[in-house]
Amino acid sequence: MENQVTETKSLNVKSLILLIGVIFGALISFAANDTFLSIIGGAVVGLIIAILFNSYILPQKPHDR
């Protein structure tokens, strides 16, 4: 029998987390303050939190599989 495993492209998780952090940071900040500058500030804070998440929380030990 042939091997049925197909290769799939892996998702770039780190950049996806950065994008989600920026978008939700901007949305939450805008909903709280209703100003244009709050969108920029919230995006910056969301980016910083996403960078910290990628640097310290996300890394895991490599596994053998």
Side-chain angles (χ1 to χ4, degrees), residues 22 43-53:
V22 169
V44 170
V45 171
L47 180 65
I48 291 170
I49 291 173
I51 289 171
L52 291 174
F53 181 82

Side-chain angles (χ1 to χ4, degrees), residues 4-37:
Q4 297 289 326
V5 177
T6 59
E7 292 188 29
T8 59
K9 293 184 179 181
S10 63
L11 212 68
N12 192 352
V13 177
K14 289 188 177 187
S15 62
L16 188 63
I17 290 172
L18 290 175
L19 179 66
I20 291 171
V22 169
I23 291 172
F24 280 115
L27 285 175
I28 290 170
S29 182
F30 179 70
N33 297 324
D34 287 333
T35 62
F36 179 73
L37 287 177

